[in-house]
Amino acid sequence: MPDSPHDVFSLVTPADIRRIRDGAQENFVKIIDKVFDRLLVLKGARDLTKNQANTKQLLNCVRVLTRLLPFVFESGPDGSNLEEIVLWTPRPRPGSGADYVLGKQLVSAVVDLLFTSGFTVPAATVGEDAIVRYTIWENGIGQTSSLGSSKEHVSNRVEVLRLLLVLCSKAMYSPPAGSSSLPNRALNTIAYNSNKRMVLCLLCSLINTSLKDRAQGWSIPYRNSAAIDPHDELMLHAMHALFILLEYQVPATKPENKSTADEPDSTPDTDADTNTPSMLLVTETKVGAHNLFRAFIAKLHRTQEFDYLINNILRLLDGTMRANLSILASVTKQPTRTVMPQEATVLLWMLLENNSPFRDYIVDHNSSLKLFSMLLYFMLYGYGDPAQAGLVRTISNILHYLSEDSRFATRLMQPFDQSMLPSTMRIIDASLTHADFMINTVFTLLSSSKPYLLPVYSSLLLLVRNVSPYLTQTSQPTADKLVSLFDIISSPAFIISEPYHIRWLIYLIEVFDYVIHYRAVDNPRLIYRMIKARSCFKRLKAFNLESAKNELAALRDKKSKTESTRTIGKSSTSLKSSYSVSNDDTAGTPPGTPAPKQDADIVSLTPGRGGVDNIERTGSPALSDKARGKRPQLGSQTTTHDLAESRDSGDSNSTSHDLPIKRATGKKSAGAKAPTNQFQPSEEWVFSWLPDLPLDPIISVLDALSEHINKIAETVERDASAAAAAATETADGEHSETTASDSKNLDSHQQQQLDATAPKAGNADDMLSPYTGSVDPTQAIIHWLSSDAMIEALPDLEESMPEIRPRLQGMSSALIVWFRSLLWSMVYASGMKPLGIWKNTRVRLFVVKNSQ
């Protein structure tokens, strides 16, 4: 008899399973029926815990089913649906002859095993006569004390949860296009048609187990062996089970009897007075109408429950962050704990999506800015690794969702403490706010031009756009990067290279529009930077499609000849930036999924180092070249849904008040020999967005302020020249008198002292700008731009005043498919580490790449 799950998985190979399944399907079904029938007998035995042989047999039944069921979800060699035959077709039960549906019975049995006395929960807590009694495993939400589970209970929960994940893993074997339309009967049975008490106990058990703090002593996460801690494995499986139960929604279908489905459920639970958890909630949801796990998550409202959730999420993120920064990081990273930032951020997003009071609590919480800083840290830490693209995108959605609240956006104006960051991520500016660090982070990710980050760019720009009405005291590095980014995105060739680029431009234009109308006096450095780059706005106002096509055609022709990075156009201002053309091959596209174009049309956002306003990359919140070189070079692991959505990344977050963007095709420009799959802009397409851009008020303000700034610069330079001339005359007079009277008595040492003091008196060169050769009036201009005099100089903007309204996050079908794929890829990865549960199975939801 096998003693461990490794024995079962090594004895039963995928080739053996497929040979029986495809060659003797009836025998394959009988094997599953016999194993399940034995599992039911052992589960109902009252002496289960007293007989170690029975416990071992029950565990082996769980292991065998865990091994066989993944191959049930694969399509047969003839295209038949084996899952329907094995799990959901009524047939006589072995021994009794009565018809039963294996899938429904198996789901019920697996859930019961999670609460079986003496097997997965201590017997003393549920009574001597009870075999299955629902209770909460750990203290936390709904429970004030822990059950005190033994190591055997923890290990058994791991194996049963593993079987539960396998039983619900049909989504992994469906293509992305059909994953949202195909029902998952196992998940539907648990989430829509279960007893409410079971749902509550399972929900609280999974949450509390996922967030349990097991740190003791000095909390140094060091392990001297490669063995996986069962508690860590249980924590991971519990969190993954929680995710798939919360995420699942029944595909939309026409209701057969709407009148009965809408009636409230007034029937009380039959056992509501016994063993009732403290979090038991009364719901009017009809069984089968809504996901009960989501319904109960939405009803969380107590302060202590929110405290428990946010404090433990912060603990998980902080623990990983400290481990990354520690000198012991190479020996303290755990096999299962290294993925916890991804799980913690996914849990945070799901809580925010399903519980509005929780978002309000986070916005008003004292640790909201700490959470914000940690999330930005993990974005910067993982943006260069394709395997971390899911983490970066999850965080971008969280921040976008939080930015919709004006209270959160206002709190970002508080000073930012960079001491929590590694030196490679710090910005050389003492007056940094959280909003400054956010904008610098967005610039770093956009300028990285990673193909797998394309779907993230829209959310990042929307984040800046939603915060812009509340920006105050923008730092100089932030102003430089924001305007530099606009210079790149507003380039004519960049605009027409992809259809979604115009959305990025619209979001960025709205940032400047809000600042001009609401926060001009509060952001003098940004206003001054915009004035110096006002020709960018005028260039956009005079946009000409044919000129843009010719510019892009010339760039493509030049690239085809040189096969190297080239510059798109020339900036009309001192902001000279370059754009590299990326033609990375599309990787990770599953069969049947159309791959996006990854050719010379995809223009990356890569600011150059040339030009007068060369931006100092060392101040950017990114890893240095030296630090980046120490990190392992990972292969491209771009997820299918990231690539599939890259062409419509802007549309996934569009709202009803977005500008109308049309995909129109027009004539090709002279010399442009673009393939048919390339975006072909037309005059109609240009007319759909260009007249609606709020460029006129921005240009009028910048022109009006420019006149005053030129006068200030002339005044400062004239005063400085006069002061320098007067100082020079005074110094020359004193020098001549001293020389005539004491020239014979001065020794060499005294002469050196005199020579050193003479130029000091009239050192006008100290006031000159190193790059202009004239007096630098920047401080005087910044002072004037932050005064009431600047407000009086502004033209009338009342008619063009935009309404402060955030762009909301929309859960598009593409985003839902991506999120589901992310969750199941996490489940897949965790199941492959110890056992290889899904190894050599035909997963279709995402692409699996073998590590080199």
Side-chain angles (χ1 to χ4, degrees):
M1 183 180 296
D3 294 323
S4 68
H6 295 277
D7 294 339
V8 173
F9 276 74
S10 61
L11 291 173
V12 185
T13 65
D16 296 334
I17 299 174
R18 285 200 177 93
R19 184 169 58 253
I20 299 174
R21 183 197 65 183
D22 300 338
Q25 189 177 101
E26 183 178 352
N27 293 339
F28 182 71
V29 174
K30 285 183 178 180
I31 291 174
I32 294 179
D33 284 341
K34 288 289 186 181
V35 173
F36 174 67
D37 186 63
R38 183 58 182 167
L39 182 146
L40 286 182
V41 172
L42 295 171
K43 182 181 76 71
R46 292 190 175 275
D47 62 342
L48 175 64
T49 58
K50 299 178 182 179
N51 192 328
Q52 293 298 324
N54 288 345
T55 302
K56 189 175 182 180
Q57 284 189 41
L58 179 58
L59 285 173
N60 282 328
C61 290
V62 171
R63 295 161 184 168
V64 171
L65 290 174
T66 303
R67 184 55 165 157
L68 297 179
L69 287 179
F71 297 89
V72 171
F73 296 112
E74 290 184 342
S75 299
D78 56 350
S80 60
N81 188 351
L82 189 60
E83 179 210 2
E84 184 71 23
I85 299 173
V86 175
L87 297 180
W88 307 109
T89 300
R91 57 179 177 273
R93 179 179 173 182
S96 64
D99 286 348
Y100 83 120
V101 178
L102 175 61
K104 186 176 181 180
Q105 297 292 327
L106 183 56
V107 168
S108 178
V110 170
V111 173
D112 285 346
L113 283 176
L114 291 173
F115 302 96
T116 299
S117 174
F119 184 66
T120 50
V121 295
T125 61
V126 296
E128 296 180 358
D129 297 331
I131 297 177
V132 176
R133 199 72 175 274
Y134 299 119
T135 186
I136 301 176
W137 298 341
E138 302 289 349
N139 62 304
I141 295 180
Q143 185 80 3
T144 57
S145 60
S146 178
L147 294 180
S149 304
S150 65
K151 183 178 180 180
E152 289 73 19
H153 296 149
V154 171
S155 179
N156 294 343
R157 288 176 196 166
V158 170
E159 300 212 35
V160 177
L161 278 177
R162 193 182 290 141
L163 175 58
L164 179 64
L165 292 172
V166 169
L167 185 58
C168 299
S169 64
K170 176 188 176 181
M172 284 200 296
Y173 300 89
S174 303
S179 63
S180 58
S181 59
L182 296 176
N184 189 320
R185 295 192 182 183
L187 282 174
N188 184 78
T189 301
I190 301 174
Y192 285 78
N193 298 283
S194 295
N195 178 274
K196 292 179 183 178
R197 177 168 324 165
M198 184 280 292
V199 172
L200 278 169
C201 291
L202 181 57
L203 176 64
C204 295
S205 296
L206 295 178
I207 293 176
N208 297 345
T209 302
S210 302
L211 299 178
K212 181 178 177 59
D213 184 7
R214 296 180 52 250
Q216 296 179 357
W218 286 359
S219 304
I220 299 178
Y222 174 77
R223 181 183 299 131
N224 57 4
S225 68
I228 298 177
D229 189 346
H231 290 88
D232 286 345
E233 198 172 0
L234 175 63
M235 183 183 301
L236 202 60
H237 288 325
M239 195 169 282
H240 291 165
L242 176 64
F243 292 162
I244 64 172
L245 290 172
L246 288 174
E247 185 273 338
Y248 180 71
Q249 296 185 67
V250 172
T253 56
K254 295 181 179 180
E256 298 180 359
N257 190 349
K258 186 176 180 180
S259 60
T260 58
D262 292 340
E263 294 177 359
D265 182 16
S266 57
T267 305
D269 292 340
T270 57
D271 52 352
D273 296 329
T274 59
N275 195 29
T276 304
S278 60
M279 192 205 137
L280 185 61
L281 304 174
V282 178
T283 177
E284 296 181 354
T285 303
K286 184 70 176 178
V287 173
H290 300 284
N291 186 323
L292 295 177
F293 289 88
R294 283 191 173 192
F296 289 132
I297 280 288
K299 290 181 179 292
L300 291 174
H301 64 280
R302 298 174 182 171
T303 302
Q304 58 267 32
E305 294 169 344
F306 289 159
D307 278 337
Y308 177 82
L309 292 171
I310 188 61
N311 289 337
N312 281 283
I313 290 175
L314 284 172
R315 176 182 54 80
L316 291 175
L317 295 176
D318 183 65
T320 305
M321 185 175 175
R322 287 188 294 108
N324 292 340
L325 301 177
S326 172
I327 60 174
L328 298 177
S330 59
V331 296
T332 58
K333 286 187 176 181
Q334 305 299 329
T336 58
R337 298 295 294 171
T338 55
V339 298
M340 289 309 292
Q342 176 69 83
E343 276 76 9
T345 54
V346 168
L347 177 59
L348 177 61
W349 189 17
M350 300 190 82
L351 291 172
L352 290 171
E353 284 286 336
N354 293 286
N355 193 302
S356 297
F358 183 67
R359 185 181 78 165
D360 296 334
Y361 176 82
I362 286 184
V363 169
D364 297 329
H365 197 270
N366 295 331
S367 300
S368 60
L369 293 181
K370 180 180 180 181
L371 174 65
F372 177 80
S373 303
M374 287 184 178
L375 293 177
L376 290 180
Y377 162 80
F378 281 105
M379 288 187 76
L380 289 171
Y381 185 78
Y383 82 95
D385 183 359
Q388 299 296 323
L391 173 63
V392 174
R393 189 171 182 183
T394 303
I395 294 175
S396 69
N397 283 282
I398 293 173
L399 296 180
H400 179 200
Y401 186 67
L402 291 175
S403 70
E404 297 171 8
D405 194 307
S406 59
R407 296 170 299 170
F408 183 78
T410 303
R411 296 196 70 176
L412 297 184
M413 304 309 124
Q414 296 183 21
F416 177 71
D417 182 11
Q418 300 190 70
S419 61
M420 64 178 295
L421 299 174
S423 58
T424 54
M425 292 185 184
R426 296 179 185 177
I427 303 172
I428 306 175
D429 195 313
S431 59
L432 211 63
T433 66
H434 286 78
D436 284 322
F437 185 64
M438 175 200 70
I439 294 174
N440 280 269
T441 301
V442 170
F443 180 86
T444 299
L445 268 68
L446 289 172
S447 62
S448 67
S449 300
K450 306 293 185 182
Y452 50 83
L453 293 182
L454 276 177
V456 180
Y457 292 165
S458 183
S459 293
L460 294 177
L461 290 172
L462 281 171
L463 170 63
V464 178
R465 184 263 178 208
N466 287 345
V467 174
S468 60
Y470 314 97
L471 281 176
T472 58
Q473 301 304 321
T474 306
S475 67
Q476 192 61 53
T478 302
D480 290 340
K481 290 178 174 61
L482 198 57
V483 176
S484 176
L485 187 62
F486 172 73
D487 184 38
I488 299 171
I489 294 180
S490 63
S491 167
F494 186 86
I495 292 174
I496 67 171
S497 61
E498 289 290 351
Y500 51 81
H501 286 172
I502 185 56
R503 288 200 176 274
W504 299 355
L505 178 61
I506 290 171
Y507 300 151
L508 208 49
I509 283 288
E510 290 179 354
V511 171
F512 297 120
D513 192 33
Y514 277 128
V515 171
I516 285 290
H517 285 88
Y518 292 99
R519 296 291 178 179
V521 71
D522 297 325
N523 295 278
R525 295 176 183 84
L526 179 57
I527 295 296
Y528 185 38
R529 202 67 184 86
M530 292 171 61
I531 293 172
K532 293 198 293 183
R534 63 187 182 278
S535 56
C536 293
F537 297 92
K538 296 180 179 179
R539 176 189 63 188
L540 181 60
K541 179 69 177 178
F543 179 85
N544 181 272
L545 181 59
E546 288 302 318
S547 299
K549 287 182 177 180
N550 292 334
E551 182 180 343
L552 184 59
L555 171 71
R556 290 170 177 164
D557 183 65
K558 195 172 184 179
K559 179 182 181 298
S560 63
K561 293 179 180 179
T562 60
E563 292 300 325
S564 61
T565 303
R566 291 307 179 200
T567 301
I568 297 181
K570 294 183 179 180
S571 175
S572 56
T573 68
S574 59
L575 292 170
K576 296 183 180 179
S577 303
S578 62
Y579 318 79
S580 61
V581 179
S582 171
N583 59 349
D584 296 323
D585 295 334
T586 301
T589 304
T593 301
K597 53 196 174 194
Q598 296 286 340
D599 53 18
D601 286 349
I602 295 183
V603 185
S604 61
L605 300 166
T606 309
R609 299 189 179 184
V612 175
D613 293 316
N614 180 21
I615 297 175
E616 195 69 33
R617 295 303 299 272
T618 57
S620 177
L623 292 176
S624 65
D625 293 338
K626 182 178 179 180
R628 188 180 295 108
K630 293 181 179 180
R631 299 178 63 185
Q633 185 67 27
L634 302 178
S636 177
Q637 300 179 13
T638 309
T639 58
T640 302
H641 16 283
D642 283 348
L643 290 174
E645 198 185 341
S646 64
R647 300 173 73 173
D648 298 310
S649 59
D651 297 336
S652 64
N653 296 288
S654 60
T655 59
S656 59
H657 58 275
D658 284 352
L659 296 177
I661 307 300
K662 301 177 182 178
R663 282 192 183 222
T665 58
K667 297 180 180 180
K668 297 180 182 179
S669 61
K673 300 180 180 179
T676 57
N677 63 338
Q678 290 179 353
F679 173 60
Q680 299 296 319
S682 67
E683 293 291 347
E684 292 79 9
W685 175 78
V686 175
F687 185 75
S688 68
W689 55 265
L690 184 58
D692 295 324
L693 293 180
L695 292 173
D696 289 335
I698 297 177
I699 293 175
S700 64
V701 168
L702 297 182
D703 285 343
L705 295 179
S706 177
E707 296 178 3
H708 292 273
I709 286 177
N710 290 336
K711 294 179 180 179
I712 295 174
E714 293 174 0
T715 302
V716 171
E717 185 170 357
R718 183 173 58 251
D719 294 345
S721 299
T728 301
E729 292 178 0
T730 302
D732 290 343
E734 294 178 355
H735 180 71
S736 60
E737 293 177 2
T738 304
T739 303
S741 60
D742 300 330
S743 57
K744 297 181 179 181
N745 301 323
L746 290 176
D747 57 15
S748 60
H749 178 70
Q750 291 173 326
Q751 184 65 43
Q752 290 176 2
Q753 289 181 334
L754 181 60
D755 292 340
T757 57
K760 184 176 180 180
N763 192 9
D765 292 338
D766 291 345
M767 302 176 62
L768 301 182
S769 172
Y771 53 84
T772 63
S774 60
V775 177
D776 185 8
T778 299
Q779 294 301 323
I781 293 174
I782 294 297
H783 177 75
W784 183 84
L785 288 174
S786 59
S787 65
D788 294 337
M790 189 272 286
I791 300 177
E792 297 176 357
L794 292 176
D796 186 13
L797 299 175
E798 184 176 356
E799 293 184 0
S800 62
M801 191 73 68
E803 179 185 357
I804 297 180
R805 179 173 53 180
R807 287 188 180 265
L808 306 180
Q809 185 180 64
M811 291 295 290
S812 64
S813 57
L815 185 57
I816 292 174
V817 171
W818 168 82
F819 187 55
R820 180 170 296 174
S821 303
L822 174 66
L823 298 184
W824 281 109
S825 65
M826 292 158 53
V827 175
Y828 180 91
S830 65
M832 291 295 291
K833 289 178 180 178
L835 298 175
I837 298 175
W838 292 280
K839 186 176 182 180
N840 295 326
T841 61
R842 301 186 184 98
V843 175
R844 303 177 65 190
L845 185 60
F846 46 83
V847 172
V848 179
K849 285 191 173 183
N850 295 325
S851 59
Q852 301 297 329

